[in-house]
Amino acid sequence: MIGDQPAPIAASHLYYIKLGRGGDWEAESLREGVLRFGYREAPHDLCARGDWQGVWEAMKTIRGDAGAATRDVNQIRAYYEADKHSIFITFVGGLLYWCRPTGPVELLDDRSHRRQTAEGWRNTSVNGTLLSADRLSGRLLKVQMFRGTICDVRAGDYLLRKLSDQLSPEVAAAEEAERALMTAIVELMRLLTWQDFELLVDLVFSTSGWRRVSQVGRTQKTVDLELILPSTAERAFVQVKSQATSAALNDYVARLAEADAYDRMFFVWHTGDIAEESSPAGVILLGPQKLSRMVLDAGLSSWLREKVS
């Protein structure tokens, strides 16, 4: 452990493996925490002894091709020789799974192979982050195009960083720049007039799919924006405050309880001492930190700069 954080993941070798033809062994492997492997024609006794020249000669006789025999032996050898310092990965159901092999290779009755794993298959990083394929680089995902059974993972450094929840220097620098921009956005929002701040909030919601059904600042006494989400027909009202207090929030929460026409309420402000995480039931709090992220994601930072320049 480094401080309160687990040590970064390390590995002597990184392999990708297909668990059976068409994924036939995926469910069994994940459920039982084993590493299945085919190559029924491989001479198990020679493999277990590490006689790889003998294995190559046997595979050449079977394949009738020296190059094919070499490719076979590379995969068979990786499976037999990998130890707990190695990592195997595979992809199942849109998730990356990884394990460390341990123990000897077991030859099954059908001449397929099985190995145990040190801690079973995992689909999360060292800190518990789900390893969803849609959040992984194409440099790693393209390993799935390999036409054999086992191959080296070329994007090894990237894989180990993902398993360890570590950022590349480039991503770390980008995140630092993003944090600085969000801090600047908060300061710029505080320079807006209350009318322009309401307009900014209106623009943020419209880019998120909400549709305004009333004029900004011209609705009921307690409402600054009335919105509808066309995809679900949800109705919401938005209370916009340049400066907000807990007393003002409590007042509007009480009024929400009396407003049967709305499914939820957004309370939005850029200055105040309200904790953004302490949302009352049915109320979504959007303070300076959350709002600055929404402004950035909506591409409104240029609009904001122009308004206050």
Side-chain angles (χ1 to χ4, degrees):
M1 301 282 286
I2 300 176
D4 293 330
Q5 296 295 318
I9 296 294
S12 58
H13 295 88
L14 296 166
Y15 300 109
Y16 165 72
I17 185 170
K18 291 181 180 178
L19 297 172
R21 190 181 301 274
D24 290 345
W25 292 326
E26 291 175 351
E28 175 192 349
S29 297
L30 300 183
R31 181 181 64 252
E32 299 184 9
V34 296
L35 197 60
R36 292 297 308 273
F37 185 63
Y39 272 98
R40 293 174 171 85
E41 63 273 39
H44 174 67
D45 292 343
L46 297 181
C47 294
R49 291 202 303 268
D51 182 359
W52 300 114
Q53 179 61 35
V55 175
W56 182 86
E57 291 172 357
M59 297 306 297
K60 182 176 180 297
T61 299
I62 294 171
R63 300 298 190 203
D65 179 84
T70 298
R71 291 190 291 272
D72 289 338
V73 170
N74 288 339
Q75 296 176 72
I76 298 167
R77 186 171 185 175
Y79 182 78
Y80 272 79
E81 291 191 342
D83 58 20
K84 64 181 181 180
H85 301 293
S86 301
I87 288 177
F88 279 83
I89 69 168
T90 195
F91 293 88
V92 180
L95 298 175
L96 181 150
Y97 287 81
W98 61 285
C99 71
R100 294 184 185 274
T102 189
V105 174
E106 179 185 0
L107 185 66
L108 303 182
D109 291 340
D110 66 352
R111 298 199 60 78
S112 67
H113 306 78
R114 178 171 60 196
R115 291 192 68 181
Q116 298 299 315
T117 62
E119 297 178 338
W121 289 91
R122 295 180 56 178
N123 60 12
T124 60
S125 68
V126 67
N127 287 325
T129 303
L130 190 66
L131 298 169
S132 177
D134 61 2
R135 299 181 66 86
L136 298 175
S137 169
R139 293 190 297 116
L140 177 60
L141 295 176
K142 69 180 182 181
V143 74
Q144 298 173 90
M145 300 173 63
F146 179 64
R147 303 185 68 167
T149 303
I150 294 176
C151 69
D152 292 321
V153 176
R154 293 185 178 179
D157 290 343
Y158 171 81
L159 172 61
L160 292 177
R161 285 199 302 269
K162 295 300 291 187
L163 298 183
S164 304
D165 293 296
Q166 294 182 331
L167 300 176
S168 70
E170 296 81 2
V171 172
E175 288 199 353
E176 181 62 30
E178 188 176 78
R179 284 191 292 270
L181 179 55
M182 289 173 60
T183 298
I185 286 173
V186 172
E187 297 304 316
L188 292 177
M189 288 192 298
R190 290 170 176 165
L191 297 177
L192 293 171
T193 64
W194 67 265
Q195 296 97 331
D196 284 339
F197 183 55
E198 284 191 352
L199 178 56
L200 173 65
V201 173
D202 181 27
L203 293 172
V204 166
F205 276 98
S206 66
T207 62
S208 302
W210 288 92
R211 181 179 300 165
R212 176 164 47 86
V213 294
S214 66
Q215 294 295 317
V216 177
R218 294 174 182 247
T219 60
Q220 304 172 41
K221 183 177 180 181
T222 61
V223 180
D224 288 316
L225 292 174
E226 288 182 283
L227 305 173
I228 186 170
L229 191 60
S231 60
T232 63
E234 287 182 88
R235 297 181 70 88
F237 77 77
V238 183
Q239 180 61 46
V240 183
K241 288 288 194 181
S242 295
Q243 298 196 27
T245 63
S246 296
L249 172 61
N250 293 335
D251 178 47
Y252 283 102
V253 170
R255 300 186 190 192
L256 171 65
E258 303 173 357
D260 295 333
Y262 303 105
D263 298 296
R264 51 179 152 161
M265 164 188 168
F266 293 93
F267 192 83
V268 188
W269 76 99
H270 63 54
T271 301
D273 57 0
I274 302 173
E276 294 186 51
E277 295 77 21
S278 58
S279 296
V283 179
I284 298 175
L285 300 183
L286 298 177
Q289 301 308 315
K290 292 181 181 178
L291 187 58
S292 64
R293 160 60 65 185
M294 295 175 74
V295 169
L296 181 61
D297 290 345
L300 292 169
S301 57
S302 296
W303 179 94
L304 182 57
R305 290 198 303 272
E306 292 173 0
K307 272 293 183 181
V308 300
S309 60

